[in-house]
């Protein structure tokens, strides 16, 4: 929502306190926040704090020379003796992590795009400016912040070479020890607002130990962490002749279960998991790991029951509650993700067909999950009367209007699931993953005398589980289609899910 150059979909900020005209006026922003609050909801603001746009006034001032007061707001380094880049770090979106200023001799650091220079969190005035931004939006009514890419804000100013010939600058500047001090200071700067502000950190590589480190209540750093470690893939399927990042790989279900077990059992209560299948930086997981075709409805319901009834807070990406599909591209030139063209050309050179290369891109590129929310099956899916600014699918059944009328729809299943999630056993109950076959996922939640059993079939073949007498007699609280209980066994349909409860 903040003013951006839109080189990276809003993450390249020009002014932290101005509303981008793409989204409306400041008055409309204020009205939106009020209307959300009036409906009993809160607003979490996505806060890019690792970098700004190169069009930001701070950076434009910094470019005026090494003596400019804004120069220390960014990270600069001298070239090597031969005039080349300060070191061999690469940026996340390709190329060197260093770009040379036009009117001087130094290079500035950008761990992402060259148009997104990294800010210098070592500099006290920069930290004060960032705290001022948070307070500005808190005064506007914002209830929390998602700290984008915050794990890179502590940069090693010795700028060591990467051990590889060229290597990721992010890898060498992640989870630095000074992050604690930076975040603690930021928390102290907003504490005087006497408002419980919810702080979520995006730490894509965080394991259970790091999540506990960031969410320790005594450290007062963040409330929750978003990690991308949930989805291990079968790396033996990698084609070494093609860039790995855009290759679609099947989910390693056995390792997925191990990781979920670790997060559920090793997390401190303060850092209990954020549970998600989807977000704006990845394709929709039902396409990647479930079934978006013949068994679309059952797979969507099963995946929701499997993950969201565990310990933690569900994060539901718009449209998953109606089973929305990915967008589908037939031309790599129409996908804005960095590295797409490089991947496509390498794949074709390695002997992949056009169709095979596009199949992988449609399961790995970020753009595919960003279609317009499908309110109905009308021409513009009920989302706008104007010209849509992005692509969308238009489908009967998989839209809000049609699913409102069908009690067996994905939408109604999500509503029933979230009602269950609000009960004590799913809020506070202990978690235990039970030993089953590789593709069945079964766990209990237990609180005092109350227990629940969640049984999921994470595959496109039927599964059968032996139930104890007590679970055979338990009530079914929630299930999708095609499951049956017979002769002491639970027969799960393809992507079947059944939730039992007993007291």
């Amino acid at each position: 929502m903040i003013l951006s150059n839109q080189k990276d979909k809003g993450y390249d900020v020009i002014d932290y306190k101005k509303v981008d005209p793409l989204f409306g006026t400041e008055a409309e922003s204020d009205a939106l926040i009020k209307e959300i609050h009036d409906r009993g909801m809160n607003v979490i603001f996505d806060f890019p704090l690792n970098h700004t746009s190169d069009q930001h006034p701070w950076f434009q001032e910094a470019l005026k020379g090494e003596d400019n007061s804004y120069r220390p707001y960014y990270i600069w380094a001298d070239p090597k003796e031969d005039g080349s880049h300060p070191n061999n770090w690469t940026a996340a979106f390709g190329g060197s992590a260093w770009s040379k200023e036009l009117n001087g001799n130094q290079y500035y650091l950008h761990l992402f795009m060259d148009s997104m220079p990294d800010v210098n969190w070592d500099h006290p005035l920069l930290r004060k400016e960032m705290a001022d931004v948070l307070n500005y939006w808190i005064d506007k009514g914002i209830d929390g912040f998602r700290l984008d890419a915050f794990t890179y804000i502590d940069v090693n100013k010795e700028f060591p070479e990467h051990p590889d010939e060229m290597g990721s600058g992010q890898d060498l500047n992640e989870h630095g020890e000074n992050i604690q001090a930076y975040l603690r200071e930021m928390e102290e700067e907003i504490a005087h607002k006497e408002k419980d502000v919810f702080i979520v950190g995006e730490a894509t590589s965080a394991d259970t130990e790091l999540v506990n480190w960031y969410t320790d209540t005594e450290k007062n750093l963040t409330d929750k962490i978003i990690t991308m470690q949930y989805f291990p893939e079968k790396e033996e399927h990698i084609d070494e002749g093609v860039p790995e990042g855009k290759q679609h790989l099947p989910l390693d279900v056995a390792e997925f279960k191990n990781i979920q077990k670790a997060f559920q059992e090793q997390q401190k209560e303060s850092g209990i998991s954020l549970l998600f299948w989807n977000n704006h930086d990845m394709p929709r997981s039902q396409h990647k790991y479930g079934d978006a075709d013949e068994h679309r409805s059952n797979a969507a319901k099963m995946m929701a029951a499997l993950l969201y009834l565990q310990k933690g807070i569900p994060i539901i990406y718009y449209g998953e509650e109606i089973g929305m599909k990915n967008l589908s591209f037939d031309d790599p030139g129409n996908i804005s993700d960095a590295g797409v063209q490089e991947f496509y050309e390498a794949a074709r050179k390695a002997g992949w067909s056009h169709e095979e290369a596009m199949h992988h891109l449609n399961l790995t590129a970020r753009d595919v999950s960003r279609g317009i929310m499908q309110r109905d099956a009308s021409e513009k899916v009920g989302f706008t009367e104007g010209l849509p600014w992005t692509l969308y699918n238009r489908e009967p059944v998989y839209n809000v209007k049609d699913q409102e009328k069908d009690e067996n729809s994905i939408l109604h299943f999500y509503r029933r699931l979230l009602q269950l999630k609000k009960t004590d056993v799913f809020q506070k109950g202990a978690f235990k993953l039970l030993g089953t076959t590789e593709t069945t996922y079964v766990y209990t939640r237990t609180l005092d005398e109350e227990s629940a059993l969640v049984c999921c079939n994470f595959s496109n073949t039927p599964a059968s589980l032996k139930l104890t007498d007590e679970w055979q007699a338990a009530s079914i609280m929630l299930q999708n289609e095609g499951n049956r209980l017979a002769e002491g066994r639970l027969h799960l349909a393809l992507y079947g899910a059944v939730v039992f409860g007993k007291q």
Side-chain angles (χ1 to χ4, degrees), residues 73-91:
Y73 278 47
Y74 295 88
I75 299 171
W76 303 87
D78 294 325
K80 292 180 179 177
E81 289 186 4
D82 62 2
S84 61
H85 299 124
N87 62 22
N88 64 350
W89 294 353
T90 56

Side-chain angles (χ1 to χ4, degrees), residues 276-391:
F276 68 94
W277 278 115
N278 306 283
N279 65 39
H280 66 296
D281 278 335
M282 58 188 287
R284 294 177 182 269
S285 287
Q286 188 171 335
H287 276 264
K288 287 176 69 68
Y289 309 131
D291 189 318
D293 297 311
E294 185 178 357
H295 307 290
R296 184 170 168 185
S297 178
N298 245 29
K301 296 173 182 177
M302 179 279 297
M303 292 173 74
L306 185 156
L307 200 62
Y308 297 151
L309 292 177
Q310 295 186 147
K311 291 197 297 182
I313 301 173
I315 301 179
I316 298 170
Y317 187 54
Y318 79 94
E320 74 170 80
E321 73 275 27
I322 58 170
M324 264 177 62
K325 294 197 306 184
N326 282 335
L327 300 172
S328 181
F329 293 90
D330 191 47
D331 182 345
N334 292 330
I335 304 176
S336 64
D337 283 25
V340 165
Q341 196 63 39
E342 177 190 5
F343 168 85
Y344 180 80
E345 291 172 2
R348 298 289 280 136
K349 186 176 181 180
W352 293 23
S353 68
H354 168 79
E355 289 74 19
E356 185 179 10
M358 293 310 302
H359 172 73
H360 280 254
L361 287 173
N362 281 315
L363 288 172
T364 56
R366 297 183 305 171
D367 282 1
V368 300
S369 69
R370 299 178 176 184
I372 291 174
M373 178 68 180
Q374 294 156 208
R375 299 288 176 184
D376 58 37
S378 63
E379 181 181 356
K380 296 177 182 177
V381 296
F383 188 78
T384 181
E385 295 179 356
L387 180 66
W389 64 91
T390 188
L391 301 176

Side-chain angles (χ1 to χ4, degrees), residues 183-333:
L183 294 182
R184 190 177 299 112
E185 180 181 305
M186 189 174 70
E187 286 274 7
E188 290 170 356
E189 288 291 328
I190 65 176
H192 71 280
K193 293 296 180 181
E194 297 182 355
K195 179 177 180 178
D196 188 12
V197 179
F198 190 58
I199 302 293
V200 178
E202 182 203 24
T204 58
S205 65
D207 57 14
T208 55
E209 183 178 349
L210 274 170
V211 170
N212 284 334
W213 187 75
Y214 281 124
T215 57
D216 188 331
T217 53
E218 293 184 4
K219 294 185 175 74
N220 196 27
L221 306 179
T222 65
D223 294 300
K224 300 295 177 187
I225 288 293
I226 296 173
T227 175
M228 292 295 291
Q229 298 307 296
Y230 285 171
F231 309 113
E233 297 176 329
K234 294 185 176 180
E235 295 186 356
E236 64 267 25
H237 292 263
I238 292 173
D239 185 332
E240 298 292 346
V242 178
E244 180 182 339
K246 289 291 187 286
Q247 289 188 53
H248 166 61
L249 303 172
L251 183 70
D252 186 335
V253 178
E255 185 59 19
F256 170 80
K257 291 167 75 170
N258 291 334
I259 289 173
Q260 289 298 317
K261 184 174 187 291
F263 273 99
Q264 288 289 300
E265 295 180 355
Q266 297 173 24
Q267 217 79 90
K268 294 179 181 178
E269 286 303 313
S270 60
I272 201 64
S273 299
L274 292 174
L275 307 169
F276 68 94
W277 278 115
N278 306 283
N279 65 39
H280 66 296
D281 278 335
M282 58 188 287
R284 294 177 182 269
S285 287
Q286 188 171 335
H287 276 264
K288 287 176 69 68
Y289 309 131
D291 189 318
D293 297 311
E294 185 178 357
H295 307 290
R296 184 170 168 185
S297 178
N298 245 29
K301 296 173 182 177
M302 179 279 297
M303 292 173 74
L306 185 156
L307 200 62
Y308 297 151
L309 292 177
Q310 295 186 147
K311 291 197 297 182
I313 301 173
I315 301 179
I316 298 170
Y317 187 54
Y318 79 94
E320 74 170 80
E321 73 275 27
I322 58 170
M324 264 177 62
K325 294 197 306 184
N326 282 335
L327 300 172
S328 181
F329 293 90
D330 191 47
D331 182 345

Side-chain angles (χ1 to χ4, degrees), residues 118-132:
D118 283 37
V119 294
N120 179 20
W121 276 77
D122 276 349
H123 188 47
L125 291 181
L126 181 279
R127 298 199 301 274
K128 182 173 175 56
E129 294 265 22
M130 288 299 192
D132 185 52

Side-chain angles (χ1 to χ4, degrees), residues 400-443:
V400 175
K401 185 176 181 180
D402 286 352
Q403 294 202 16
E404 286 281 13
K405 298 180 289 187
D406 179 6
E407 287 294 323
N408 292 319
S409 69
I410 302 169
L411 179 60
H412 281 284
F413 185 92
Y414 263 72
R415 287 173 175 163
R416 290 191 289 270
L417 183 146
L418 292 177
Q419 287 302 313
L420 274 184
K421 182 68 178 180
K422 295 176 182 179
T423 60
D424 286 347
V425 70
F426 289 112
Q427 287 282 305
K428 306 172 186 175
F431 171 94
K432 183 179 181 180
L433 185 67
L434 304 183
T436 55
T437 63
E438 179 178 337
T439 57
T440 51
Y441 193 101
V442 181
Y443 61 92

Side-chain angles (χ1 to χ4, degrees), residues 5-279:
N5 206 31
Q6 296 299 325
K7 292 282 186 70
D8 186 33
K9 306 293 177 67
Y11 287 94
D12 48 326
V13 177
I14 293 177
D15 191 322
Y16 284 103
K17 296 180 181 179
K18 286 187 178 178
V19 174
D20 197 307
L22 279 172
F23 304 106
T25 65
E26 183 173 349
E28 288 169 330
S29 167
D30 294 341
L32 174 64
I33 294 169
K34 180 182 181 301
E35 291 291 338
I36 291 172
H37 286 162
D38 287 348
R39 287 161 173 78
M41 297 184 288
N42 294 323
V43 185
I44 296 178
F45 195 84
D46 201 352
F47 182 40
L49 76 172
N50 178 74
H51 44 258
T52 68
S53 166
D54 59 2
Q55 301 304 305
H56 195 290
W58 299 344
F59 191 69
Q60 290 298 302
E61 284 293 317
L63 289 173
K64 292 179 180 179
E66 295 183 32
D67 295 332
N68 189 278
S69 61
Y70 283 93
R71 190 78 169 189
Y73 278 47
Y74 295 88
I75 299 171
W76 303 87
D78 294 325
K80 292 180 179 177
E81 289 186 4
D82 62 2
S84 61
H85 299 124
N87 62 22
N88 64 350
W89 294 353
T90 56
F93 293 164
S96 174
W98 298 95
S99 288
K100 191 173 182 296
E101 58 182 334
L102 292 177
N103 299 316
N105 195 44
Q106 286 194 310
Y107 286 81
Y108 66 87
L109 180 68
H110 52 88
L111 293 178
F112 292 87
M113 289 182 175
D114 60 0
S115 60
M116 295 158 58
D118 283 37
V119 294
N120 179 20
W121 276 77
D122 276 349
H123 188 47
L125 291 181
L126 181 279
R127 298 199 301 274
K128 182 173 175 56
E129 294 265 22
M130 288 299 192
D132 185 52
V133 169
L134 294 182
N135 284 323
Y136 173 84
W137 285 104
I138 292 170
D139 289 341
K140 286 279 192 178
I142 294 297
D143 304 290
F145 297 91
R146 171 192 177 269
L147 307 182
D148 179 70
F150 84 99
T151 57
Y152 308 115
I153 62 176
D154 182 21
V155 173
N156 185 343
K157 299 300 175 45
E158 294 182 0
F159 307 129
E161 295 285 325
H162 194 283
D164 295 337
E165 183 179 353
M166 294 288 287
S168 168
Q170 290 185 355
D171 288 350
L172 297 185
N173 293 283
E174 194 172 23
H175 311 301
E177 61 182 20
N178 291 322
I179 289 178
Q180 284 202 21
Y182 299 155
L183 294 182
R184 190 177 299 112
E185 180 181 305
M186 189 174 70
E187 286 274 7
E188 290 170 356
E189 288 291 328
I190 65 176
H192 71 280
K193 293 296 180 181
E194 297 182 355
K195 179 177 180 178
D196 188 12
V197 179
F198 190 58
I199 302 293
V200 178
E202 182 203 24
T204 58
S205 65
D207 57 14
T208 55
E209 183 178 349
L210 274 170
V211 170
N212 284 334
W213 187 75
Y214 281 124
T215 57
D216 188 331
T217 53
E218 293 184 4
K219 294 185 175 74
N220 196 27
L221 306 179
T222 65
D223 294 300
K224 300 295 177 187
I225 288 293
I226 296 173
T227 175
M228 292 295 291
Q229 298 307 296
Y230 285 171
F231 309 113
E233 297 176 329
K234 294 185 176 180
E235 295 186 356
E236 64 267 25
H237 292 263
I238 292 173
D239 185 332
E240 298 292 346
V242 178
E244 180 182 339
K246 289 291 187 286
Q247 289 188 53
H248 166 61
L249 303 172
L251 183 70
D252 186 335
V253 178
E255 185 59 19
F256 170 80
K257 291 167 75 170
N258 291 334
I259 289 173
Q260 289 298 317
K261 184 174 187 291
F263 273 99
Q264 288 289 300
E265 295 180 355
Q266 297 173 24
Q267 217 79 90
K268 294 179 181 178
E269 286 303 313
S270 60
I272 201 64
S273 299
L274 292 174
L275 307 169
F276 68 94
W277 278 115
N278 306 283
N279 65 39

